[in-house]
mmCIF file of all heavy atoms in Angstrom:
data_model
loop_
_atom_site.group_PDB
_atom_site.id
_atom_site.type_symbol
_atom_site.label_atom_id
_atom_site.label_comp_id
_atom_site.label_asym_id
_atom_site.label_seq_id
_atom_site.Cartn_x
_atom_site.Cartn_y
_atom_site.Cartn_z
ATOM 1 N N ALA A 1 -8.661 -2.030 -16.993
ATOM 2 C CA ALA A 1 -9.476 -2.501 -15.871
ATOM 3 C C ALA A 1 -8.591 -2.779 -14.658
ATOM 4 O O ALA A 1 -8.961 -2.483 -13.513
ATOM 5 C CB ALA A 1 -10.238 -3.767 -16.274
ATOM 6 N N ARG A 2 -7.423 -3.326 -14.915
ATOM 7 C CA ARG A 2 -6.475 -3.630 -13.831
ATOM 8 C C ARG A 2 -6.038 -2.342 -13.131
ATOM 9 O O ARG A 2 -5.980 -2.278 -11.898
ATOM 10 C CB ARG A 2 -5.274 -4.355 -14.429
ATOM 11 C CG ARG A 2 -4.241 -4.862 -13.405
ATOM 12 C CD ARG A 2 -3.096 -5.487 -14.175
ATOM 13 N NE ARG A 2 -2.078 -6.043 -13.318
ATOM 14 C CZ ARG A 2 -2.102 -7.268 -12.799
ATOM 15 N NH1 ARG A 2 -3.121 -8.068 -13.052
ATOM 16 N NH2 ARG A 2 -1.116 -7.713 -12.032
ATOM 17 N N GLU A 3 -5.748 -1.315 -13.912
ATOM 18 C CA GLU A 3 -5.307 -0.038 -13.351
ATOM 19 C C GLU A 3 -6.406 0.614 -12.513
ATOM 20 O O GLU A 3 -6.137 1.204 -11.466
ATOM 21 C CB GLU A 3 -4.863 0.898 -14.478
ATOM 22 C CG GLU A 3 -3.570 0.442 -15.155
ATOM 23 C CD GLU A 3 -3.193 1.314 -16.340
ATOM 24 O OE1 GLU A 3 -4.040 2.146 -16.748
ATOM 25 O OE2 GLU A 3 -2.062 1.172 -16.847
ATOM 26 N N VAL A 4 -7.653 0.490 -12.988
ATOM 27 C CA VAL A 4 -8.783 1.048 -12.235
ATOM 28 C C VAL A 4 -8.937 0.315 -10.897
ATOM 29 O O VAL A 4 -9.153 0.941 -9.853
ATOM 30 C CB VAL A 4 -10.092 0.946 -13.046
ATOM 31 C CG1 VAL A 4 -11.297 1.314 -12.177
ATOM 32 C CG2 VAL A 4 -10.032 1.855 -14.258
ATOM 33 N N LEU A 5 -8.815 -0.999 -10.925
ATOM 34 C CA LEU A 5 -8.927 -1.792 -9.695
ATOM 35 C C LEU A 5 -7.839 -1.421 -8.694
ATOM 36 O O LEU A 5 -8.093 -1.304 -7.490
ATOM 37 C CB LEU A 5 -8.839 -3.286 -10.024
ATOM 38 C CG LEU A 5 -10.111 -3.948 -10.554
ATOM 39 C CD1 LEU A 5 -9.801 -5.333 -11.089
ATOM 40 C CD2 LEU A 5 -11.171 -4.027 -9.455
ATOM 41 N N ILE A 6 -6.631 -1.242 -9.203
ATOM 42 C CA ILE A 6 -5.518 -0.867 -8.324
ATOM 43 C C ILE A 6 -5.786 0.489 -7.691
ATOM 44 O O ILE A 6 -5.623 0.671 -6.475
ATOM 45 C CB ILE A 6 -4.186 -0.848 -9.104
ATOM 46 C CG1 ILE A 6 -3.806 -2.278 -9.520
ATOM 47 C CG2 ILE A 6 -3.079 -0.228 -8.256
ATOM 48 C CD1 ILE A 6 -2.619 -2.350 -10.452
ATOM 49 N N GLU A 7 -6.228 1.432 -8.505
ATOM 50 C CA GLU A 7 -6.505 2.784 -8.006
ATOM 51 C C GLU A 7 -7.617 2.770 -6.958
ATOM 52 O O GLU A 7 -7.516 3.435 -5.918
ATOM 53 C CB GLU A 7 -6.905 3.695 -9.166
ATOM 54 C CG GLU A 7 -7.155 5.139 -8.751
ATOM 55 C CD GLU A 7 -7.520 6.024 -9.929
ATOM 56 O OE1 GLU A 7 -7.442 5.556 -11.081
ATOM 57 O OE2 GLU A 7 -7.885 7.193 -9.687
ATOM 58 N N LYS A 8 -8.657 1.982 -7.211
ATOM 59 C CA LYS A 8 -9.790 1.923 -6.292
ATOM 60 C C LYS A 8 -9.432 1.271 -4.961
ATOM 61 O O LYS A 8 -10.107 1.502 -3.947
ATOM 62 C CB LYS A 8 -10.953 1.154 -6.942
ATOM 63 C CG LYS A 8 -11.734 1.924 -7.988
ATOM 64 C CD LYS A 8 -12.851 1.075 -8.560
ATOM 65 C CE LYS A 8 -13.735 1.863 -9.495
ATOM 66 N NZ LYS A 8 -14.535 2.891 -8.772
ATOM 67 N N ASN A 9 -8.390 0.441 -4.949
ATOM 68 C CA ASN A 9 -8.043 -0.305 -3.738
ATOM 69 C C ASN A 9 -6.750 0.164 -3.081
ATOM 70 O O ASN A 9 -6.269 -0.493 -2.151
ATOM 71 C CB ASN A 9 -7.946 -1.795 -4.065
ATOM 72 C CG ASN A 9 -9.299 -2.428 -4.312
ATOM 73 O OD1 ASN A 9 -10.019 -2.781 -3.380
ATOM 74 N ND2 ASN A 9 -9.671 -2.566 -5.583
ATOM 75 N N MET A 10 -6.190 1.269 -3.540
ATOM 76 C CA MET A 10 -4.964 1.761 -2.925
ATOM 77 C C MET A 10 -5.181 2.206 -1.486
ATOM 78 O O MET A 10 -4.270 2.160 -0.658
ATOM 79 C CB MET A 10 -4.380 2.915 -3.742
ATOM 80 C CG MET A 10 -3.591 2.463 -4.965
ATOM 81 S SD MET A 10 -2.314 1.219 -4.594
ATOM 82 C CE MET A 10 -1.204 2.160 -3.535
ATOM 83 N N GLY A 11 -6.419 2.621 -1.162
ATOM 84 C CA GLY A 11 -6.721 2.977 0.219
ATOM 85 C C GLY A 11 -6.532 1.782 1.150
ATOM 86 O O GLY A 11 -6.042 1.923 2.270
ATOM 87 N N LEU A 12 -6.910 0.603 0.669
ATOM 88 C CA LEU A 12 -6.731 -0.623 1.445
ATOM 89 C C LEU A 12 -5.250 -0.924 1.630
ATOM 90 O O LEU A 12 -4.816 -1.306 2.719
ATOM 91 C CB LEU A 12 -7.424 -1.788 0.727
ATOM 92 C CG LEU A 12 -7.324 -3.165 1.392
ATOM 93 C CD1 LEU A 12 -7.987 -3.151 2.763
ATOM 94 C CD2 LEU A 12 -7.970 -4.226 0.502
ATOM 95 N N VAL A 13 -4.465 -0.731 0.575
ATOM 96 C CA VAL A 13 -3.016 -0.951 0.662
ATOM 97 C C VAL A 13 -2.400 0.000 1.691
ATOM 98 O O VAL A 13 -1.599 -0.415 2.532
ATOM 99 C CB VAL A 13 -2.340 -0.760 -0.714
ATOM 100 C CG1 VAL A 13 -0.824 -0.916 -0.585
ATOM 101 C CG2 VAL A 13 -2.885 -1.775 -1.720
ATOM 102 N N HIS A 14 -2.779 1.267 1.631
ATOM 103 C CA HIS A 14 -2.281 2.255 2.601
ATOM 104 C C HIS A 14 -2.626 1.825 4.022
ATOM 105 O O HIS A 14 -1.802 1.943 4.939
ATOM 106 C CB HIS A 14 -2.890 3.628 2.316
ATOM 107 C CG HIS A 14 -2.164 4.410 1.271
ATOM 108 N ND1 HIS A 14 -1.129 5.272 1.565
ATOM 109 C CD2 HIS A 14 -2.328 4.456 -0.069
ATOM 110 C CE1 HIS A 14 -0.680 5.822 0.450
ATOM 111 N NE2 HIS A 14 -1.385 5.346 -0.561
ATOM 112 N N HIS A 15 -3.859 1.368 4.202
ATOM 113 C CA HIS A 15 -4.331 0.959 5.532
ATOM 114 C C HIS A 15 -3.462 -0.168 6.089
ATOM 115 O O HIS A 15 -3.091 -0.162 7.265
ATOM 116 C CB HIS A 15 -5.784 0.503 5.433
ATOM 117 C CG HIS A 15 -6.362 0.013 6.730
ATOM 118 N ND1 HIS A 15 -6.723 0.870 7.757
ATOM 119 C CD2 HIS A 15 -6.620 -1.239 7.179
ATOM 120 C CE1 HIS A 15 -7.181 0.164 8.776
ATOM 121 N NE2 HIS A 15 -7.127 -1.121 8.447
ATOM 122 N N ILE A 16 -3.139 -1.139 5.260
ATOM 123 C CA ILE A 16 -2.339 -2.287 5.709
ATOM 124 C C ILE A 16 -0.887 -1.881 5.918
ATOM 125 O O ILE A 16 -0.253 -2.298 6.891
ATOM 126 C CB ILE A 16 -2.440 -3.428 4.680
ATOM 127 C CG1 ILE A 16 -3.879 -3.950 4.625
ATOM 128 C CG2 ILE A 16 -1.475 -4.569 5.030
ATOM 129 C CD1 ILE A 16 -4.146 -4.926 3.512
ATOM 130 N N VAL A 17 -0.355 -1.058 5.030
ATOM 131 C CA VAL A 17 1.038 -0.627 5.131
ATOM 132 C C VAL A 17 1.303 0.073 6.459
ATOM 133 O O VAL A 17 2.378 -0.083 7.050
ATOM 134 C CB VAL A 17 1.405 0.292 3.945
ATOM 135 C CG1 VAL A 17 2.673 1.099 4.246
ATOM 136 C CG2 VAL A 17 1.603 -0.534 2.677
ATOM 137 N N ARG A 18 0.330 0.828 6.948
ATOM 138 C CA ARG A 18 0.525 1.541 8.219
ATOM 139 C C ARG A 18 0.824 0.586 9.367
ATOM 140 O O ARG A 18 1.449 0.976 10.352
ATOM 141 C CB ARG A 18 -0.715 2.392 8.528
ATOM 142 C CG ARG A 18 -0.809 3.666 7.702
ATOM 143 C CD ARG A 18 -1.793 4.656 8.323
ATOM 144 N NE ARG A 18 -3.160 4.182 8.207
ATOM 145 C CZ ARG A 18 -3.967 4.439 7.194
ATOM 146 N NH1 ARG A 18 -3.530 5.160 6.164
ATOM 147 N NH2 ARG A 18 -5.205 3.982 7.175
ATOM 148 N N ARG A 19 0.386 -0.676 9.228
ATOM 149 C CA ARG A 19 0.671 -1.668 10.263
ATOM 150 C C ARG A 19 2.162 -2.012 10.332
ATOM 151 O O ARG A 19 2.633 -2.555 11.330
ATOM 152 C CB ARG A 19 -0.110 -2.956 9.975
ATOM 153 C CG ARG A 19 -1.627 -2.779 9.960
ATOM 154 C CD ARG A 19 -2.156 -2.683 11.360
ATOM 155 N NE ARG A 19 -3.604 -2.720 11.389
ATOM 156 C CZ ARG A 19 -4.322 -2.664 12.496
ATOM 157 N NH1 ARG A 19 -3.704 -2.561 13.658
ATOM 158 N NH2 ARG A 19 -5.634 -2.688 12.456
ATOM 159 N N PHE A 20 2.884 -1.729 9.256
ATOM 160 C CA PHE A 20 4.284 -2.162 9.170
ATOM 161 C C PHE A 20 5.272 -0.992 9.212
ATOM 162 O O PHE A 20 6.464 -1.195 9.005
ATOM 163 C CB PHE A 20 4.485 -2.956 7.872
ATOM 164 C CG PHE A 20 3.681 -4.225 7.805
ATOM 165 C CD1 PHE A 20 2.431 -4.226 7.211
ATOM 166 C CD2 PHE A 20 4.160 -5.399 8.357
ATOM 167 C CE1 PHE A 20 1.668 -5.388 7.147
ATOM 168 C CE2 PHE A 20 3.403 -6.561 8.301
ATOM 169 C CZ PHE A 20 2.159 -6.556 7.696
ATOM 170 N N ILE A 21 4.776 0.202 9.488
ATOM 171 C CA ILE A 21 5.655 1.372 9.580
ATOM 172 C C ILE A 21 6.571 1.218 10.800
ATOM 173 O O ILE A 21 6.177 0.701 11.838
ATOM 174 C CB ILE A 21 4.823 2.664 9.708
ATOM 175 C CG1 ILE A 21 4.005 2.904 8.428
ATOM 176 C CG2 ILE A 21 5.729 3.860 9.978
ATOM 177 C CD1 ILE A 21 4.842 3.062 7.182
ATOM 178 N N GLY A 22 7.805 1.683 10.679
ATOM 179 C CA GLY A 22 8.740 1.626 11.788
ATOM 180 C C GLY A 22 9.592 0.383 11.818
ATOM 181 O O GLY A 22 10.205 0.068 12.832
ATOM 182 N N ARG A 23 9.653 -0.326 10.690
ATOM 183 C CA ARG A 23 10.463 -1.550 10.643
ATOM 184 C C ARG A 23 11.673 -1.391 9.733
ATOM 185 O O ARG A 23 12.189 -2.352 9.194
ATOM 186 C CB ARG A 23 9.607 -2.723 10.202
ATOM 187 C CG ARG A 23 8.420 -2.964 11.119
ATOM 188 C CD ARG A 23 7.793 -4.302 10.913
ATOM 189 N NE ARG A 23 6.606 -4.468 11.732
ATOM 190 C CZ ARG A 23 5.954 -5.597 11.876
ATOM 191 N NH1 ARG A 23 6.387 -6.681 11.259
ATOM 192 N NH2 ARG A 23 4.873 -5.673 12.628
ATOM 193 N N GLY A 24 12.092 -0.128 9.553
ATOM 194 C CA GLY A 24 13.321 0.109 8.805
ATOM 195 C C GLY A 24 13.135 0.291 7.313
ATOM 196 O O GLY A 24 14.131 0.355 6.582
ATOM 197 N N CYS A 25 11.895 0.377 6.835
ATOM 198 C CA CYS A 25 11.652 0.550 5.397
ATOM 199 C C CYS A 25 10.814 1.802 5.155
ATOM 200 O O CYS A 25 9.956 2.151 5.965
ATOM 201 C CB CYS A 25 10.923 -0.665 4.823
ATOM 202 S SG CYS A 25 11.926 -2.158 4.794
ATOM 203 N N GLU A 26 11.100 2.457 4.033
ATOM 204 C CA GLU A 26 10.342 3.645 3.663
ATOM 205 C C GLU A 26 8.916 3.250 3.290
ATOM 206 O O GLU A 26 8.670 2.161 2.751
ATOM 207 C CB GLU A 26 10.996 4.346 2.476
ATOM 208 C CG GLU A 26 12.380 4.905 2.757
ATOM 209 C CD GLU A 26 12.350 6.047 3.752
ATOM 210 O OE1 GLU A 26 11.313 6.756 3.811
ATOM 211 O OE2 GLU A 26 13.344 6.232 4.473
ATOM 212 N N MET A 27 7.974 4.154 3.550
ATOM 213 C CA MET A 27 6.575 3.877 3.261
ATOM 214 C C MET A 27 6.360 3.643 1.769
ATOM 215 O O MET A 27 5.560 2.780 1.378
ATOM 216 C CB MET A 27 5.691 5.019 3.747
ATOM 217 C CG MET A 27 4.198 4.729 3.599
ATOM 218 S SD MET A 27 3.187 5.940 4.462
ATOM 219 C CE MET A 27 1.546 5.260 4.172
ATOM 220 N N ASP A 28 7.065 4.399 0.936
ATOM 221 C CA ASP A 28 6.907 4.234 -0.515
ATOM 222 C C ASP A 28 7.286 2.821 -0.950
ATOM 223 O O ASP A 28 6.633 2.231 -1.826
ATOM 224 C CB ASP A 28 7.767 5.250 -1.276
ATOM 225 C CG ASP A 28 7.194 6.658 -1.204
ATOM 226 O OD1 ASP A 28 6.013 6.785 -0.824
ATOM 227 O OD2 ASP A 28 7.923 7.612 -1.522
ATOM 228 N N ASP A 29 8.344 2.272 -0.338
ATOM 229 C CA ASP A 29 8.756 0.908 -0.662
ATOM 230 C C ASP A 29 7.686 -0.098 -0.244
ATOM 231 O O ASP A 29 7.366 -1.036 -0.984
ATOM 232 C CB ASP A 29 10.082 0.571 0.027
ATOM 233 C CG ASP A 29 11.242 1.388 -0.514
ATOM 234 O OD1 ASP A 29 11.170 1.788 -1.691
ATOM 235 O OD2 ASP A 29 12.200 1.609 0.231
ATOM 236 N N LEU A 30 7.135 0.115 0.948
ATOM 237 C CA LEU A 30 6.096 -0.785 1.434
ATOM 238 C C LEU A 30 4.847 -0.700 0.571
ATOM 239 O O LEU A 30 4.170 -1.712 0.329
ATOM 240 C CB LEU A 30 5.755 -0.470 2.890
ATOM 241 C CG LEU A 30 6.871 -0.692 3.918
ATOM 242 C CD1 LEU A 30 6.389 -0.296 5.316
ATOM 243 C CD2 LEU A 30 7.324 -2.144 3.920
ATOM 244 N N LEU A 31 4.541 0.504 0.100
ATOM 245 C CA LEU A 31 3.377 0.682 -0.770
ATOM 246 C C LEU A 31 3.562 -0.067 -2.087
ATOM 247 O O LEU A 31 2.621 -0.676 -2.610
ATOM 248 C CB LEU A 31 3.131 2.164 -1.042
ATOM 249 C CG LEU A 31 2.516 2.969 0.108
ATOM 250 C CD1 LEU A 31 2.513 4.458 -0.219
ATOM 251 C CD2 LEU A 31 1.087 2.487 0.378
ATOM 252 N N GLN A 32 4.769 -0.031 -2.616
ATOM 253 C CA GLN A 32 5.047 -0.763 -3.858
ATOM 254 C C GLN A 32 4.883 -2.263 -3.660
ATOM 255 O O GLN A 32 4.285 -2.957 -4.488
ATOM 256 C CB GLN A 32 6.457 -0.447 -4.340
ATOM 257 C CG GLN A 32 6.635 0.971 -4.867
ATOM 258 C CD GLN A 32 8.048 1.237 -5.361
ATOM 259 O OE1 GLN A 32 8.798 0.298 -5.621
ATOM 260 N NE2 GLN A 32 8.410 2.497 -5.479
ATOM 261 N N ILE A 33 5.405 -2.766 -2.539
ATOM 262 C CA ILE A 33 5.290 -4.196 -2.246
ATOM 263 C C ILE A 33 3.830 -4.566 -1.996
ATOM 264 O O ILE A 33 3.340 -5.604 -2.467
ATOM 265 C CB ILE A 33 6.143 -4.573 -1.020
ATOM 266 C CG1 ILE A 33 7.620 -4.233 -1.265
ATOM 267 C CG2 ILE A 33 5.981 -6.049 -0.702
ATOM 268 C CD1 ILE A 33 8.211 -4.942 -2.462
ATOM 269 N N GLY A 34 3.127 -3.716 -1.248
ATOM 270 C CA GLY A 34 1.709 -3.969 -0.986
ATOM 271 C C GLY A 34 0.889 -3.981 -2.261
ATOM 272 O O GLY A 34 -0.060 -4.766 -2.399
#
């Protein structure tokens, strides 16, 4: 159930991560933290 929830909400994580692009960190790293 946890994995399904994460998968269903990864779009939200991507959306928020885009706010922090350009601060010296790779997007993949930010996605993991998000």
